[in-house]
Structure formats: structure tokens, C-alpha cells
Amino acid sequence: MVRSTVYALLVVAAVAVIVAVMFLPVLQISGTSMSETLWDGDILVAFSSTQYETGEVIAFYYNNTILVKRVIAVSGDWVDIDEEGNVTVNNVRLEEPYISEKARGTCDIELPYQVPEGKIFVMGDHRATSVDSRTSAIGCIGEEHLVGKILFRVWPLSELGIIQ
């Protein structure tokens, strides 16, 4: 009976690990590039997906680190950012209630910029300090580097809920 209980527990643990890694990864925020939306130390749950839309918060791999940013544009879209930090996608200015302060930030790409096929243009919500697709160091994110959409925050408990 002890042996069957141990086997059952091992199977349950293995299934839980597979689900957590493959379908619902749990991530902890480190840094301030998403400030006002996400804070240093927040713990989040992501959902693996193949479809991403403008405005969604996503996680992706960059240099063996997982970064969290917001989708600004997808394949084929044209992105432009003026000196005041106003972002336009396909000549339509984005309404961005999730940012507290507009800034152009570090930008070494030539604007307007067309997002290449199979790529996503991302930016952090704290525009003045975020290093993101505006720099050639990170650039646009390939689909092979995506972890998933950020669904909700589980820690701190006072901020428990869906991420907008």
C-alpha cells in the first residue's frame, strides 16, 4: 500500500511539473521596466499561446532570462514613436492607459519601423527605463522565444487578479 501511494504521488508530481512548465509557467518579476502595471517581486502566471494581440502582456526568453513586456505591434505593422513618446501603429495613435509617463526612452532603430514577419514589437510600461524592441540589442521578439501571455498576478495577495 505504501508503494502504490508513493507511485501515485510521483505521478501527480510529474504531471504538475509538466503542466507548470508547458502550459502555465509561474514567473517572478525582477526590475522596474513594467512599473505601474507590475512591480519588482510580483509573482505571475503565464499561459502558453500562439496568438498575441496589441496591448497584451507577454513573457519571452532573452539571453537565458525571461523578460516581461507589452505587445505594441505584430508582423507587418508599422510603428512610430515621436519625441514626446506618443506611439502610433499603422498611423493610429495608441491609447495607453497603462503607462503613467510617456517617454521615447532609448531608441536606436530607424522610425517608422516595420515589424518583420514572425516577430512581435514589445515595450515596457515604464518607457523611460525599459530596454525593449526600440533598441537593436533586443529588437523584435521571434515566436520561438515566447513563453506566453501573462494571465494574472498571484503575489502579493493584495494585488491578486487578472493583468490588464
Side-chain angles (χ1 to χ4, degrees):
M1 185 155 110
V2 171
R3 186 169 39 178
S4 65
T5 302
V6 169
Y7 288 144
L9 289 174
L10 287 174
V11 168
V12 168
V15 169
V17 167
I18 289 171
V19 167
V21 170
M22 299 291 289
F23 303 109
L24 294 170
V26 176
L27 313 167
Q28 183 173 16
I29 296 294
S30 176
T32 61
S33 72
M34 288 296 291
S35 290
E36 299 305 325
T37 302
L38 303 172
W39 301 98
D40 190 37
D42 285 0
I43 297 177
L44 315 167
V45 175
F47 177 73
S48 297
S49 177
T50 57
Q51 298 292 332
Y52 299 92
E53 297 178 13
T54 299
E56 292 180 326
V57 179
I58 64 167
F60 59 92
Y61 290 103
Y62 174 74
N63 283 348
N64 295 325
T65 304
I66 295 178
L67 300 179
V68 175
K69 307 287 182 190
R70 190 174 298 273
V71 175
I72 299 300
V74 294
S75 299
D77 288 346
W78 284 91
V79 178
D80 200 5
I81 307 165
D82 66 19
E83 292 301 321
E84 288 80 43
N86 296 306
V87 178
T88 58
V89 176
N90 299 326
N91 294 319
V92 176
R93 186 171 164 183
L94 293 183
E95 293 299 321
E96 300 181 290
Y98 41 81
I99 62 172
S100 61
E101 183 179 334
K102 292 182 181 184
R104 186 165 187 178
T106 303
C107 182
D108 66 2
I109 61 171
E110 187 175 328
L111 296 171
Y113 177 83
Q114 186 174 28
V115 180
E117 190 64 35
K119 303 281 186 175
I120 297 174
F121 190 96
V122 297
M123 292 172 67
D125 288 356
H126 191 223
R127 300 288 164 79
T129 62
S130 180
V131 177
D132 44 43
S133 293
R134 296 172 290 177
T135 67
S136 56
I138 292 184
C140 290
I141 308 307
E143 294 170 354
E144 67 278 5
H145 295 112
L146 296 171
V147 173
K149 297 178 188 180
I150 302 299
L151 292 180
F152 54 92
R153 179 181 2 234
V154 295
W155 187 262
L157 291 177
S158 61
E159 298 289 326
L160 180 73
I162 296 172
I163 301 297
Q164 299 290 333

